[in-house]
Amino acid sequence: MSQPPSSRLVKPKTQKGKRVLKEREPKQEEVSKRALFVQGEKTSQIIKDVLRDLHKITQEGVKYTRKNPNMRPFEAGGEVALERFANKMDCGIFALGAHSKKRPHSLTLGRIFDNHLYDLCEMSVQQYRGLQDFASAASQVQAGNKPCMVFAGQAFESSPQHRLVKSMLLDLLRGLQVETVNLAGLDHVIMVAAAEKTVYLRQYAVKLKKSGSQVPRVELEEMGPALDLALGRFKAASKELHKEAHRRHKPTTKKEKNVSTTLLDGKVGRVYVPRQDLDSIALHKMKGLKRERQAAAAAASASEQPSKRQRE
């Protein structure tokens, strides 16, 4: 009996294969998640356009254009094909597009952890305007720049479903993880607003205009895509899996001898100095002491000269 693809042990046969598997190993600081864009059994033209635009604004991603009939992640066994594709392309997050009479224009976002499905969120596209409708504004944004993401709405803090959507959109659209950002390269903003059962996603191009002072006047011009998403089914990770995914590796540091830490002084060190003999140690001699020694030596030599004459 053959093992499922997700649990099969893969042994590299070449040096390049060894390097690829080493890069996919768990790390203390994970890199940005690579996105997978894939179609289900039936898709509409709207969903195809949405996947195409999301793939364009995502800096790193893999897009499949063929239909896949066995991708139903909310059903038992329907996530095997998704896990296989995600593990093959080393993708940590995916966007699945599908269309049916019961769930029209469905967009499902999900994440992969440890080669298995982690969580899911399904949304239905109510209204859509693509990048081609804002060609003039979209052409002013340079590809590869990090966006400024803004989430507006109390639901992103109170509703579990909205919090899940916020987390997934951050992983999907935030781009590469960097330590510093050049403000001159901040040329577009992604705005996500929350309603009761709807999420509104808009993207704007940043324009800096003259204001009569050193600080320019900032204006926003919509550049697409514009999505109105109605929230549907969602599946959060279990407590055990959530705890395992958020577990951090404690770095093993070598203990330093004679070093301790305190709340007030911070890092404190203890230094051991060998005992010093002050009688034999070479100390700095003052100029005044040198004159006294010379005078004492001259007086001693003068007292010795008469005694020699008396002997003679």
Side-chain angles (χ1 to χ4, degrees):
M1 184 176 179
S2 61
Q3 296 179 349
S6 59
S7 61
R8 189 179 303 164
L9 182 62
V10 180
K11 294 183 179 180
K13 298 181 180 179
T14 60
Q15 293 295 330
K16 183 178 180 180
K18 291 180 180 180
R19 291 194 297 269
V20 170
L21 292 181
K22 187 176 182 179
E23 291 178 357
R24 296 184 181 182
E25 291 179 354
K27 305 177 181 60
Q28 294 186 16
E29 296 182 2
E30 293 291 341
V31 297
S32 301
K33 293 182 176 63
R34 196 179 185 188
L36 173 67
F37 299 91
V38 64
Q39 300 179 16
E41 183 176 2
K42 294 181 180 180
T43 53
S44 61
Q45 188 60 38
I46 294 178
I47 284 298
K48 292 180 181 179
D49 295 340
V50 169
L51 293 177
R52 180 197 61 201
D53 289 347
L54 291 178
H55 177 252
K56 285 184 178 180
I57 65 177
T58 304
Q59 296 184 15
E60 290 191 3
V62 180
K63 185 176 179 293
Y64 287 167
T65 56
R66 294 184 178 181
K67 297 180 180 180
N68 300 277
N70 298 322
M71 290 190 177
R72 300 182 180 90
F74 284 97
E75 299 179 6
E79 74 280 357
V80 177
L82 269 172
E83 293 175 353
R84 183 174 69 251
F85 284 153
N87 298 334
K88 179 181 178 181
M89 304 307 299
D90 192 20
C91 296
I93 188 170
F94 65 86
L96 172 64
H99 176 71
S100 64
K101 185 177 180 180
K102 186 177 181 181
R103 294 182 177 88
H105 313 302
S106 175
L107 177 65
T108 303
L109 300 180
R111 288 179 287 197
I112 302 294
F113 171 72
D114 195 17
N115 300 333
H116 294 286
L117 189 64
Y118 181 72
D119 52 5
L120 285 168
C121 183
E122 185 184 52
M123 296 172 285
S124 178
V125 180
Q126 302 295 320
Q127 292 185 4
Y128 163 73
R129 295 180 64 191
L131 289 173
Q132 67 276 3
D133 299 331
F134 308 92
S136 60
S139 61
Q140 302 173 7
V141 176
Q142 185 177 358
N145 289 348
K146 281 186 67 66
C148 175
M149 300 194 66
V150 181
F151 291 87
Q154 185 63 28
F156 286 124
E157 304 297 333
S158 58
S159 173
Q161 190 172 8
H162 283 80
R163 285 200 300 266
L164 182 61
V165 173
K166 177 182 176 181
S167 178
M168 287 190 177
L169 290 178
L170 279 174
D171 284 344
L172 182 65
L173 304 176
R174 68 181 175 181
L176 301 176
Q177 297 186 20
V178 295
E179 296 181 358
T180 57
V181 177
N182 187 3
L183 295 180
L186 191 63
D187 54 5
H188 63 292
V189 177
I190 298 178
M191 174 72 181
V192 185
E196 184 177 358
K197 283 292 183 179
T198 310
V199 172
Y200 303 94
L201 190 147
R202 301 290 187 271
Q203 187 172 208
Y204 299 93
V206 178
K207 289 188 174 182
L208 303 178
K209 296 187 176 182
K210 296 181 179 179
S211 62
S213 62
Q214 294 183 353
V215 180
R217 181 165 55 92
V218 180
E219 290 186 359
L220 300 179
E221 183 180 355
E222 190 172 359
M223 57 171 289
L227 293 172
D228 295 351
L229 304 172
L231 302 183
R233 298 177 293 177
F234 74 101
K235 179 181 178 183
S238 61
K239 293 183 179 181
E240 293 78 10
L241 188 60
H242 179 79
K243 184 178 180 180
E244 179 66 20
H246 287 74
R247 183 169 59 89
R248 294 187 177 183
H249 175 74
K250 294 183 179 179
T252 57
T253 57
K254 187 177 180 180
K255 186 177 180 181
E256 300 182 54
K257 297 178 64 176
N258 303 324
V259 176
S260 60
T261 56
T262 60
L263 295 176
L264 298 178
D265 300 332
K267 191 174 182 180
V268 179
R270 184 179 298 174
V271 181
Y272 289 92
V273 180
R275 187 175 180 180
Q276 300 178 358
D277 188 2
L278 299 180
D279 297 334
S280 61
I281 193 172
L283 300 176
H284 179 67
K285 299 178 181 179
M286 296 177 60
K287 202 169 184 179
L289 297 178
K290 186 177 180 181
R291 292 175 182 173
E292 293 180 358
R293 289 198 301 271
Q294 291 177 354
S301 61
S303 61
E304 291 178 357
Q305 290 178 359
S307 60
K308 291 182 179 179
R309 292 177 182 177
Q310 291 175 4
R311 291 177 184 177
E312 291 177 356

